[in-house]
Amino acid sequence: MTAPRGAARWSAVAGVVAGLVLVAVAELASLAFSSSSAPFVAVGGAFVDIVPPGVKDLVIRLFGTWDKLVLFASMGAVYLVLTALIGRLGAARRALAAVLLAGLGALAMALVLTRAQNTALDVLPTLFGTLVAVPALLLLLRTVHGPAASGTEGAPGADGVGAAEGTGTADGAGAADGAGTTGSADEARARWTRRRALLGVGAVGVLAVVGAAVGRGITASREVAARAARYVLPAPRTSAPPIPAEAQVELEGMPRYLTPNQDFYRIDTALAVPRVDPAAWSLRIHGLVDQELEIDLAALLEEPMVEAHVTLTCVSNAVGGDLAGNATWLGVPVRTLLERAGVQDGADMVLSRSIDGFTASTPLEALTDDRDSLIAVGMNGEPLPAEHGYPVRMVVPGLYGYVSATKWLTELKVTRFEDDVAYWSTRGWSERGPIKTASRVDVPRSFAELEADADGAVMLGGTAWAQQRGVSAVEVRIDDGQWREAQLGAEVTADTWVQWSLRWGDAEPGDHSVTVRATDGEGTLQTSQRAAPAPDGASGWHTVRFTVV
Ligand SMILES: Nc1nc2c(c(=O)[nH]1)N[C@H]1C(S)=C(S)[C@@H](COP(=O)(O)O)O[C@H]1N2
Ligand SMILES: [Mo]
């Protein structure tokens, strides 16, 4: 068929450019609103909420904490394809293309509204974007095909893209583009005008999207700095024990015993870090209580503060994975506030809620027994970083983060497992999530080549944790040999990880494997039974293959 394929191609480009205009205007406008009003963030957030639990697991396994970037890149790709299709359709049916693009905008607006922290006002950026993009699409299609093409709209037989291409000869510019060989000076000029217009608008769109992203980055980092300067953490009433130097195994490649804030793993469903205004923040405690409580940040900071070292672990952590971090937290015991509110009989759970709608179900006893469950404001001597829940989050020793560690905390509802279900529990994960005993080899890395030292020895090292129970022993097996007792760095508390090391004195050159297992403080050996992270945490012994050269 001698249809002007070029015209269809340029229609697709027009669709993509109009789509870019939509996003660019909306993202730029969203700078004046909350970060969750940006359509990309809202659509991504809605997607995160509806994907089946296995997908989250798979994405985290494949991409780790790059999961958010992967999601945005995939969304961008899908969006480019959709807008290209809409543009192509617009070759024959401009009104339909306009309606479809407006429909995409409307869908994004609906998804913006589903976000917990958004209000009706937050649809405005996407509305602006759509209001600019739809006329832009019509204009661009007109630029590609010329005004004559509109005459083909609705004409018999012109109801498909193929037909549009066929009838495109009715449209001087389109024909010129497609035929190419006829190339009169006029046609060439018309073609050049089209391309220049499209590329110009496209370039402006790309610049605007980049500008919006940079703008968001700058405002976000400014805000974080301003917030951090806003208050000085109170001194703890109860201090955490000092950390002896031996807690750190000094071996190249070992993680720091205390994880620096900027290296601390981050896992959450929030595509844009919620920006919580500390002046407007308050925590509401309600449900099965004698007396509802509401406490603002100034009042919270007046409460007696407890400092505790606690190792946080994600239920999605695979065997040998790095979704665990150890920090010194500062906060008010949850117990203190629950006692003040007066927990009523029959309650067995506290549903904590984040400003972004995330919820976690924590067994009541984990918040009222003597462990250091905190309403935390400090992390390693600083106010909580925005990514880790500023201004206030929960930290509960011994439970995976998804059932306990609510960031950007706003609400505690005293309730019953029978009556309320938390975010991940409605998505196939277990309602309760005690942390399983785990151990991992950090040195060597998989497939590393090690050189034995002058004595023919190789140093191995790693990490083990069993929050609340503590770690009493770590054993290491090389190839099919005997289990050897590893040397433990100091255990600081039962809620913190321990580092281990082993000097393998008679390291033979060649390929080897090292397997590690821990015994908890109650004398229970870590299970060798392999389990995937879903529904209640991975298990199994970690093995690393390496070569001695
Ligand atoms: N608001 C909110 N809080 C949240 C989550 C979340 O998705 N949203 N994820 C939880 C999970 S699954 C984990 S493992 C921890 C991780 O805390 P971190 O990002 O500070 O390491 O936060 C918990 N708190
Ligand atoms: Mo998690």
Side-chain angles (χ1 to χ4, degrees), residues 513-538:
S513 71
V514 52
T515 301
V516 64
R517 66 183 192 188
T519 300
D520 72 14
E522 294 165 356
T524 307
L525 180 65
Q526 178 186 343
T527 179
S528 62
Q529 188 90 44
R530 282 246 153 207
D536 63 358

Side-chain angles (χ1 to χ4, degrees), residues 231 233 261 301 305 308 327-331 374-385 391-393 395:
Y231 67 84
L233 287 178
N261 289 356
L301 293 172
M305 291 278 158
T328 304
W329 307 94
L330 179 76
L374 300 178
I375 309 275
V377 294
M379 181 178 185
N380 291 329
E382 292 168 21
L384 292 178
V392 178
R393 74 174 302 167
V395 172

Side-chain angles (χ1 to χ4, degrees), residues 56 267 314-316 401-402:
K56 173 213 179 207
I267 290 288
C314 183
V315 69
S316 294
Y402 83 108

Side-chain angles (χ1 to χ4, degrees), residues 56 264-270 274 312-316 323 329 353-359 379 387-389 393 400-409 423-424:
K56 173 213 179 207
F264 206 95
Y265 83 93
R266 174 189 166 201
I267 290 288
D268 53 57
T269 60
L312 224 62
T313 312
C314 183
V315 69
S316 294
L323 298 180
W329 307 94
R353 183 177 295 275
S354 162
I355 196 162
D356 67 359
F358 170 89
T359 52
M379 181 178 185
E387 297 76 18
H388 297 291
R393 74 174 302 167
Y400 288 120
Y402 83 108
V403 288
S404 68
T406 304
K407 304 191 273 189
W408 314 290
L409 179 71
Y423 186 93
W424 285 114

Side-chain angles (χ1 to χ4, degrees), residues 26-104:
E27 295 285 329
L28 275 178
S30 76
L31 289 176
F33 294 77
S34 71
S35 53
S36 50
S37 71
F40 245 75
V41 166
V43 172
F47 187 75
V48 167
D49 284 353
I50 59 163
V51 288
V55 175
K56 173 213 179 207
D57 218 36
L58 182 73
V59 170
I60 288 183
R61 196 161 70 229
L62 291 177
F63 304 106
T65 46
W66 293 93
D67 54 345
K68 294 181 205 314
L69 203 66
V70 170
L71 174 62
F72 281 132
S74 327
M75 278 171 52
V78 168
Y79 186 67
L80 287 183
V81 170
L82 280 181
T83 51
L85 287 175
I86 287 176
R88 219 189 127 105
L89 203 64
R93 313 194 58 178
R94 287 185 199 175
L96 181 61
V99 166
L100 286 176
L101 188 64
L104 268 190

Side-chain angles (χ1 to χ4, degrees), residues 125-301:
T126 312
L127 182 64
F128 294 153
T130 310
L131 288 180
V132 177
V134 169
L137 175 66
L138 292 172
L139 201 74
L140 291 167
L141 287 172
R142 197 185 151 95
T143 311
V144 171
H145 299 285
S150 60
T152 64
E153 201 168 66
D159 56 318
V161 173
E165 286 172 0
T167 58
T169 42
D171 155 17
D177 204 16
T181 46
T182 52
S184 76
D186 268 4
E187 284 157 356
R189 208 177 306 121
R191 188 164 60 210
W192 172 234
T193 307
R194 283 205 299 272
R195 290 180 179 183
R196 203 171 44 188
L198 270 183
L199 296 179
V201 178
V204 170
V206 169
L207 276 181
V209 171
V210 171
V214 170
R216 177 153 326 276
I218 290 173
T219 41
S221 63
R222 270 222 198 103
E223 253 171 62
V224 170
R227 277 170 184 168
R230 209 164 291 158
Y231 67 84
V232 191
L233 287 178
R237 181 78 59 91
T238 311
S239 295
I243 295 171
E246 314 85 76
Q248 177 72 50
V249 166
E250 290 299 353
L251 186 59
E252 165 104 34
M254 284 294 288
R256 296 290 86 199
Y257 179 77
L258 269 185
T259 315
N261 289 356
Q262 65 273 14
D263 299 342
F264 206 95
Y265 83 93
R266 174 189 166 201
I267 290 288
D268 53 57
T269 60
L271 292 175
V273 176
R275 298 192 233 165
V276 182
D277 177 1
W281 180 88
S282 74
L283 174 66
R284 182 170 163 245
I285 302 177
H286 66 114
L288 297 173
V289 292
D290 295 335
Q291 183 190 347
E292 274 198 32
L293 276 186
E294 182 138 7
I295 185 164
D296 65 15
L297 190 59
L300 188 76
L301 293 172

